[in-house]
Amino acid sequence: MPQDRAPTRIQKKNRAAILDAALNVFSAHGFRGATVDQIAAEAGLSKPNLLYYFPSKEAMHEALLAELLDTWLDPLRALDDQGEPLTELLAYVHRKLEMSRDYPRESRLFANEIVQGAPRIYQALSEDLKTLVDDKVALLEGWMAAGRIARVHPYHLLFSIWSLTQHYADFDVQVRAVLGNEDPFDGADVFLDTLYRRLLSPRPE
Amino acid sequence: MPQDRAPTRIQKKNRAAILDAALNVFSAHGFRGATVDQIAAEAGLSKPNLLYYFPSKEAMHEALLAELLDTWLDPLRALDDQGEPLTELLAYVHRKLEMSRDYPRESRLFANEIVQGAPRIYQALSEDLKTLVDDKVALLEGWMAAGRIARVHPYHLLFSIWSLTQHYADFDVQVRAVLGNEDPFDGADVFLDTLYRRLLSPRPE
DNA sequence: TAGCTATTTGACCAACTGGTCAAACTCACG
DNA sequence: CGTGAGTTTGACCAGTTGGTCAAATAGCTA
């Protein structure tokens, strides 16, 4: 395996190629459904060569998930307690939908993992994710208490945003099968904007 | 393999046990991740005995999916053009959420299949599902044109219902990891009711 | 360019997988 | 209770899989 000195030019290139190929294969077939041979073929390398850069199939999957979870939570982290509440939330929804459009493989990698019970990522969910969510929920509750957005269950509000946006990546085949030629994301953007405006616009006592 | 006369007592019992075990295993690990041995163990039968009742692993999966898709669409079929629009839609949402709570394995079986590109069910999506959806969308458009519910993109309205309700089955681990001890479905029921009331209540011109 | 390190691979292995099959066992019914 | 159909299984097989390893090759630097 490569030494842990500074990575060489070749190491950088090959690691990146492997992770990209692994993302393709894992997101399309799940961990168990993916084969190292398939990833090797997609990366244009031999199987033993993959295992020269990563000690095991599991390690490739872990590397992807670790990198992913962080990126995935960025939009939520960016929710700004100084901003205008409704604007902030609509921007969050918009940004999450953008990620479903631009990084569907990442979304499906995550979906595969969660649907199957999060066997390799549960700890991160109940620690990192929960901590961040609890923090942002406090912010939402503050906004609701001040009457700046309508009062709804803050956790379910976040669940709804995840669910509604990731659906367009994870269930892409179904959405397109039903929608025909129409672009799903154009319609979704308008729809979600309307939905959250109506749900969250401050309402008289 | 069993003859195609009327199924015997033993056939009925074993087929049911196998399908139940297969649902457990397929929904938890995906098609590729499931093994026949695992299903056999869960069903309390030997592997060759499973293959006496079903010609292949594939056949077990197909049997489950075929049965599922029908059940899965029942709540949408039940949307009644004679009913009060908002009531009908809220009842649909409620019924779908109920299915997520009572049949999470079925939901995850379906999710596994779709996330991975629906390789074994695509045709049913683009035929049966699309036909039914197009039909119900016409109904929704009628209600919107008559001002009986607010105007939104009808396809995305249906997507949102699927997404928001199935999320509680498919992403159950994540939801519970974030929510702690609170029951997800109690909160979800109230939240979704509020959401769709605000989204769909008829609004002045 | 010599010599050392980093990279690559063909050949291989043990474990596992879906599936087969003949032989054994169990059951319903006359 | 005998008999034929229905049911069950141990032993087996060929293909696939994740992973190893020694030997070969390419790259870098003195």
Side-chain angles (χ1 to χ4, degrees), chain A residues 75-95:
Chain A
L76 181 55
R77 276 195 208 95
L79 204 68
D80 182 4
D81 55 357
Q82 298 303 307
E84 203 285 306
L86 187 55
T87 312
E88 283 296 320
L89 280 164
L90 291 175
Y92 175 45
V93 171
H94 185 77
R95 176 84 182 93

Side-chain angles (χ1 to χ4, degrees), chain A:
Chain A
M1 63 212 84
Q3 309 305 320
D4 48 357
R5 313 188 186 161
T8 67
R9 172 181 59 88
I10 296 177
Q11 275 172 38
K12 267 188 212 161
K13 193 191 63 179
N14 284 349
R15 269 180 201 279
I18 292 169
L19 286 178
D20 186 72
L23 180 55
N24 275 339
V25 178
F26 282 134
S27 68
H29 303 288
F31 179 77
R32 191 62 160 49
T35 76
V36 179
D37 275 306
Q38 216 179 337
I39 298 174
E42 194 119 351
L45 298 172
S46 69
K47 179 168 63 163
N49 205 2
L50 286 219
L51 295 163
Y52 170 70
Y53 288 101
F54 292 88
S56 68
K57 177 184 173 184
E58 185 91 35
M60 298 174 209
H61 197 249
E62 264 170 34
L64 283 172
L65 278 184
E67 192 185 328
L68 171 59
L69 194 69
D70 223 50
T71 323
W72 221 234
L73 293 178
D74 277 343
L76 181 55
R77 276 195 208 95
L79 204 68
D80 182 4
D81 55 357
Q82 298 303 307
E84 203 285 306
L86 187 55
T87 312
E88 283 296 320
L89 280 164
L90 291 175
Y92 175 45
V93 171
H94 185 77
R95 176 84 182 93
K96 280 288 286 173
L97 186 62
E98 232 168 29
M99 292 187 70
S100 280
R101 185 188 47 201
D102 298 341
Y103 304 100
R105 297 179 306 169
E106 282 82 350
S107 188
R108 285 194 279 264
L109 177 73
F110 193 71
N112 265 302
E113 174 70 9
I114 304 289
V115 170
Q116 302 190 3
R120 304 161 227 279
I121 211 190
Y122 185 79
Q123 189 177 336
L125 290 187
S126 59
E127 294 173 7
D128 307 9
L129 174 66
K130 178 153 177 53
T131 306
L132 176 63
V133 167
D134 285 347
D135 181 54
K136 293 303 179 181
V137 159
L139 173 57
L140 293 175
E141 277 170 341
W143 285 344
M144 290 175 195
R148 304 182 68 190
I149 51 174
R151 201 179 282 280
V152 295
H153 193 304
Y155 286 96
H156 289 279
L157 173 57
L158 291 181
F159 295 155
S160 77
I161 295 173
W162 300 344
S163 148
L164 286 170
T165 54
Q166 290 171 16
H167 186 78
Y168 290 97
D170 303 342
F171 284 66
D172 183 76
V173 216
Q174 179 176 260
V175 166
R176 289 181 195 273
V178 168
L179 223 42
N181 285 326
E182 192 181 329
D183 181 289
F185 289 94
D186 293 345
D189 206 37
V190 174
F191 177 81
L192 293 182
D193 194 271
T194 306
L195 186 152
Y196 283 106
R197 272 183 203 285
R198 293 195 188 158
L199 176 65
L200 295 175
S201 287
R203 17 188 65 220
E205 309 292 301

Side-chain angles (χ1 to χ4, degrees), chain B residues 22-87:
Chain B
L23 181 54
N24 275 339
V25 179
F26 282 134
S27 68
H29 304 287
F31 179 77
R32 190 63 158 50
T35 74
V36 179
D37 275 304
Q38 216 177 337
I39 299 173
E42 193 119 353
L45 299 171
S46 68
K47 179 167 65 165
N49 205 4
L50 288 220
L51 295 163
Y52 170 69
Y53 289 101
F54 291 87
S56 68
K57 177 183 172 185
E58 185 91 35
M60 299 175 209
H61 197 250
E62 264 172 33
L64 283 173
L65 278 184
E67 191 184 328
L68 171 59
L69 194 68
D70 224 48
T71 323
W72 221 236
L73 292 179
D74 276 343
L76 182 54
R77 275 194 207 95
L79 204 67
D80 182 3
D81 55 356
Q82 298 304 306
E84 203 284 308
L86 187 54
T87 311

Side-chain angles (χ1 to χ4, degrees), chain A residues 153 156 163 168 182 199, chain B residues 153 156 163 168 182 198-199:
Chain A
H153 193 304
H156 289 279
S163 148
Y168 290 97
E182 192 181 329
L199 176 65
Chain B
H153 194 305
H156 289 279
S163 148
Y168 290 97
E182 190 181 331
R198 292 195 187 158
L199 177 64

